[in-house]
Amino acid sequence: MPEFGPTGRRIIYKDGKPCRSCNTLLDFQMAMPGKAARPAVIAADLTAPVTVVEDKQCPPDVELLGRSSWTLLHSIAASYPANPSPIQQEDIKTFVSIFSRIYPCWFCADDFQAYIKKNEVQVKSQEAFGKWMCEAHNEVNRKLGKKEFDCNLWQQRWKDGWKGDN
Amino acid sequence: MPEFGPTGRRIIYKDGKPCRSCNTLLDFQMAMPGKAARPAVIAADLTAPVTVVEDKQCPPDVELLGRSSWTLLHSIAASYPANPSPIQQEDIKTFVSIFSRIYPCWFCADDFQAYIKKNEVQVKSQEAFGKWMCEAHNEVNRKLGKKEFDCNLWQQRWKDGWKGDN
């Protein structure tokens, strides 16, 4: 079982098998037993007709799952009430807490749970929750060596659109 | 305020303003006051350098939000235990229930709540939950005039990959 994939990342295994939600598709395919030659096939697939891709989409890899989840979470923050009721505050806390336990990439989920323990979810207002979510996202950006986002701009990115664009 | 957007869909308003999470970006931009000429600008933007798009991404429209959310929900089903504990069953029911209340596109959320009332979430096993989710997705596909998915194949689409591809 290879330790690193073609992207240079360490391959994540669970129960001796590569974890689809925890690796990029390229690394996952490379790590599948007897599939060392697979990346060349993937590269060729990129030129295949779009209909093939649409009809037979693969389960999401760690990157698509991450992007999709942040899109939902930030959008939920963007539509969270400015002045939430106690029930709405409790709901959103419960949602984030369960999310952190059931997120399919298990090591990402572990990291998120640890983050929540140290940085309590802020749910008193839309602004507080939106900023908390932005900072949680930046923690992941830092870990992945990605650019951090200026959290003063979270509403323009996730709620209102960019000033001057609308 | 226009009733229909350039995509031919009815434009959704809330409190007299077009709802960003409930319309396609094209329809939303068209419905923004004084922005009737906007779609031409959007079309031009498609040829702009990718860095511009990445640095200043817009809040997701109803389609990106939908795709992202299904990606997360089906992936959660794909990693749900084959034999979940009572606590895990309770967690997933609560998660789906809160999700149906806080989903940013409010009329989609209303529809989803109504669906759950008529079709109780099945959480006794991964297979039951994965199939329930697939059928819920098909209900939306039908409403949008999209092709239905064969729910016997949900594990290949969302969990294991297509037979013969791996």
Side-chain angles (χ1 to χ4, degrees):
Chain A
M1 295 192 301
E3 190 176 350
F4 293 94
T7 70
R9 272 170 260 211
R10 183 180 298 274
I11 293 173
I12 310 296
Y13 294 89
K14 193 168 190 182
D15 304 329
K17 288 200 308 200
C19 162
R20 196 184 274 270
S21 308
C22 305
N23 293 292
T24 67
L25 183 60
L26 206 64
D27 291 342
F28 171 79
Q29 300 264 16
M30 173 65 97
M32 286 291 282
K35 298 292 170 186
R38 182 69 190 175
V41 179
I42 295 174
D45 277 351
L46 293 175
T47 64
V50 171
T51 49
V52 172
V53 176
E54 282 185 351
D55 282 342
K56 291 195 89 181
Q57 283 180 315
C58 290
D61 68 355
V62 70
E63 292 186 331
L64 176 57
L65 184 62
R67 271 199 307 279
S68 302
S69 304
W70 286 121
T71 295
L72 174 63
L73 290 175
H74 288 296
S75 297
I76 285 174
S79 65
Y80 186 63
N83 297 301
S85 69
I87 289 174
Q88 287 171 317
Q89 293 182 42
E90 208 46 55
D91 260 7
I92 206 80
K93 262 194 218 171
T94 304
F95 184 82
V96 173
S97 169
I98 299 178
F99 174 89
S100 78
R101 293 198 293 277
I102 64 175
Y103 190 67
C105 166
W106 50 270
F107 74 86
C108 311
D110 286 349
D111 282 357
F112 196 50
Q113 283 172 49
Y115 185 81
I116 291 174
K117 263 195 194 163
K118 276 197 197 164
N119 305 273
E120 201 189 343
V121 190
Q122 300 298 312
V123 298
K124 295 257 180 234
S125 67
Q126 181 187 84
E127 177 57 20
F129 184 51
K131 223 164 205 173
W132 181 89
M133 192 62 79
C134 182
E135 283 159 8
H137 195 161
N138 267 345
E139 171 79 2
V140 178
N141 284 337
R142 277 190 292 274
K143 277 191 189 158
L144 298 176
K146 289 187 180 172
K147 218 171 110 181
E148 289 182 47
F149 186 84
D150 177 355
C151 287
N152 292 314
L153 304 177
W154 82 266
Q155 289 197 327
Q156 291 188 60
R157 168 67 183 89
W158 293 107
K159 182 170 168 261
D160 302 323
W162 295 93
K163 278 182 190 163
D165 274 10
N166 285 332
Chain B
M1 296 194 299
E3 192 177 350
F4 292 94
T7 70
R9 273 169 258 210
R10 185 179 296 276
I11 293 173
I12 309 295
Y13 294 88
K14 191 167 192 184
D15 305 327
K17 288 199 306 201
C19 162
R20 195 185 274 269
S21 308
C22 306
N23 294 291
T24 66
L25 183 60
L26 206 64
D27 292 342
F28 171 80
Q29 300 264 17
M30 172 66 97
M32 285 292 282
K35 298 292 167 185
R38 183 69 191 173
V41 180
I42 294 174
D45 278 351
L46 292 176
T47 62
V50 171
T51 48
V52 172
V53 176
E54 282 186 349
D55 282 340
K56 291 195 89 181
Q57 284 179 315
C58 290
D61 67 355
V62 69
E63 292 187 330
L64 176 57
L65 186 61
R67 271 200 307 280
S68 303
S69 302
W70 286 122
T71 296
L72 174 63
L73 290 175
H74 288 296
S75 298
I76 285 174
S79 66
Y80 186 64
N83 297 301
S85 69
I87 289 175
Q88 286 171 319
Q89 293 183 42
E90 208 46 55
D91 261 6
I92 207 78
K93 262 195 217 169
T94 304
F95 184 81
V96 172
S97 169
I98 299 178
F99 174 88
S100 78
R101 294 198 294 277
I102 63 175
Y103 190 66
C105 165
W106 49 269
F107 73 87
C108 313
D110 287 349
D111 283 356
F112 196 52
Q113 282 172 49
Y115 185 82
I116 291 174
K117 262 195 195 161
K118 275 197 197 163
N119 305 273
E120 199 189 344
V121 190
Q122 301 298 311
V123 297
K124 294 257 181 233
S125 68
Q126 181 187 84
E127 177 57 21
F129 184 51
K131 224 166 204 169
W132 181 89
M133 192 63 78
C134 182
E135 283 159 8
H137 195 162
N138 266 345
E139 170 79 1
V140 178
N141 284 336
R142 277 189 293 275
K143 277 191 189 159
L144 299 176
K146 289 187 180 173
K147 216 171 112 183
E148 288 182 48
F149 186 84
D150 177 355
C151 287
N152 292 314
L153 304 177
W154 82 266
Q155 288 197 328
Q156 289 188 61
R157 168 66 183 90
W158 293 107
K159 182 171 168 262
D160 302 325
W162 295 94
K163 277 182 188 161
D165 274 9
N166 285 332

